[in-house]
Amino acid sequence: MEHSPFLLLLSTVLLLLTATPGTHSQPAAAPAPPGPTNVTKILEKAGQFTVFIRLLKSTGVANQLYGQLNNSDNGITIFAPSDSSFSSLKAGTLNSLSDEQQVELIQFHVVPSYVSSSNFQTISNPLRTQAGDSAEGHFPLNITTSGNTVNITSGVTNTTVSGNVYSDGQLAVYQVDKVLLPQQVFDPRPPAPAPAPTVSKSKKKKDDGDSPDDDSPADASFALREVGSVRNAVSFCVISISLAWFYL
């Protein structure tokens, strides 16, 4: 039985289509979900923050930040000093700090809320950090702007934000030119002197009453009684003498 040329051609085309691999396009694979936010890895990728990373890890603040960023909706802002910032500190500054003070120093660079670069102009001072109380003489951090320049002062350190390292709407990392030294650690204010004791009015009057020159009401009454007694005695003598003369 002879096959027509058309059937032979159709069979050949079908054979080629079924034998050729990869003729149909495959759907693109979905992107892998992002991993948990890791501050130290972000700083390592940026470079120039070796000392700050070491302190984040040794103080345990890195683990705190990891937990806050990945287990809550609270944003975080970090002012990261570069290695050159730490080099400009006086020799032995970090070694002179206790473990608690090192924790406070690193926490002082962390704000427990997300601050975008556009928020610096309307920020409310003093800015509270994770170091604690922002009252005068404790851990105040004040931010002002002048044009595009963001100025930061701690009462000890005056510096500026020199770059935007990272920002994702929850975590913001900014590079600063100097290490932010908290006043509570590096320039503690002496306690206010206790007020001088005041002498009460009642005590003053009592002391004045003990003065020998004071004519108190009690002394005046006593003097009047003495004068009256003398006057009565004189009158009695005069009357007695008069009666004696009368009978004579």
Side-chain angles (χ1 to χ4, degrees):
M1 181 178 180
E2 296 183 358
H3 297 283
S4 65
F6 175 75
L7 291 176
L8 291 174
L9 179 62
L10 181 61
S11 300
T12 303
V13 171
L14 291 173
L15 182 63
L16 290 173
L17 289 176
T18 56
T20 305
T23 55
H24 299 285
S25 60
Q26 299 294 328
T37 305
N38 190 312
V39 172
T40 56
K41 288 185 177 180
I42 292 172
L43 292 171
E44 286 171 356
K45 185 177 180 180
Q48 303 180 9
F49 300 103
T50 305
V51 179
F52 189 56
I53 293 172
R54 176 172 59 81
L55 290 171
L56 280 169
K57 292 180 178 180
S58 64
T59 57
V61 175
N63 293 332
Q64 295 175 4
L65 299 180
Y66 185 88
Q68 287 179 242
L69 289 170
N70 297 289
N71 298 313
S72 70
D73 295 330
N74 295 331
I76 288 176
T77 301
I78 300 175
F79 297 106
S82 62
D83 291 337
S84 60
S85 300
F86 283 98
S87 299
S88 64
L89 291 176
K90 184 179 178 181
T93 297
L94 295 179
N95 292 332
S96 66
L97 301 178
S98 65
D99 292 343
E100 180 182 359
Q101 289 174 331
Q102 287 191 10
V103 172
E104 291 173 339
L105 173 64
I106 300 305
Q107 289 180 332
F108 191 58
H109 291 76
V110 180
V111 177
S113 60
Y114 176 77
V115 181
S116 66
S117 56
S118 60
N119 292 145
F120 284 128
Q121 295 181 351
T122 58
I123 206 165
S124 178
N125 289 315
L127 197 61
R128 185 177 179 85
T129 69
Q130 292 204 166
D133 189 5
S134 60
E136 180 68 20
H138 290 82
F139 296 96
L141 193 65
N142 293 282
I143 295 179
T144 58
T145 58
S146 178
N148 294 326
T149 303
V150 179
N151 305 301
I152 304 178
T153 179
S154 69
V156 179
T157 302
N158 296 314
T159 187
T160 59
V161 172
S162 57
N164 189 341
V165 179
Y166 180 87
S167 180
D168 62 3
Q170 185 188 21
L171 170 66
V173 182
Y174 300 98
Q175 179 175 337
V176 289
D177 294 333
K178 294 181 180 180
V179 179
L180 303 178
L181 304 179
Q183 195 172 47
Q184 177 73 4
V185 176
F186 291 91
D187 186 24
R189 298 290 179 87
T198 56
V199 179
S200 63
K201 292 183 179 180
S202 58
K203 184 178 180 181
K204 189 171 187 266
K205 288 182 178 179
K206 182 179 179 182
D207 293 341
D208 292 343
D210 294 337
S211 174
D213 297 331
D214 182 33
D215 294 331
S216 64
D219 293 339
S221 177
F222 176 78
L224 289 175
R225 288 197 301 271
E226 290 294 324
V227 171
S229 299
V230 172
R231 183 180 299 168
N232 291 336
V234 172
S235 298
F236 178 77
C237 291
V238 171
I239 293 172
S240 299
I241 295 172
S242 299
L243 289 175
W245 277 102
F246 177 77
Y247 286 108
L248 292 177

